[in-house]
Amino acid sequence: KYTNIFKENLQNNITINEKVNQLEVLAEAENEKAEIEIKGNNDLKEGNNTIIITVTAEDGETKREYS
């Protein structure tokens, strides 16, 4: 279990077992009106995989990506 790893860092690395092909990612925005989209956490392959968490601000235009 990893918590708060993305809050201050835009890029993070974790190591998981090679047999894992899906990773449950739970993300919570500080502003409840922001939207969160998570891509890349399914169909994981052996080697490097990139999961991108995009947080879109209430204005619908301002975005920040975490990977």
Side-chain angles (χ1 to χ4, degrees):
K1 181 176 180 179
Y2 300 91
T3 59
N4 275 343
I5 62 172
F6 294 103
K7 186 171 182 175
E8 300 298 327
N9 300 314
L10 295 179
Q11 290 187 317
N12 294 270
N13 294 305
I14 62 170
T15 302
I16 58 175
N17 184 300
E18 62 192 36
K19 296 180 189 222
V20 173
N21 62 5
Q22 182 175 339
L23 190 64
E24 181 179 6
V25 178
L26 303 175
E28 183 178 321
E30 289 183 5
N31 182 328
E32 64 185 35
K33 295 181 180 179
E35 293 184 18
I36 297 174
E37 181 179 21
I38 302 169
K39 291 184 179 179
N41 58 317
N42 295 311
D43 198 29
L44 301 175
K45 306 290 185 213
E46 186 174 346
N48 293 331
N49 295 270
T50 301
I51 299 171
I52 299 175
I53 301 170
T54 303
V55 180
T56 304
E58 180 180 1
D59 66 12
E61 294 182 22
T62 306
K63 296 183 180 189
R64 190 167 194 184
E65 285 191 347
Y66 300 84
S67 60

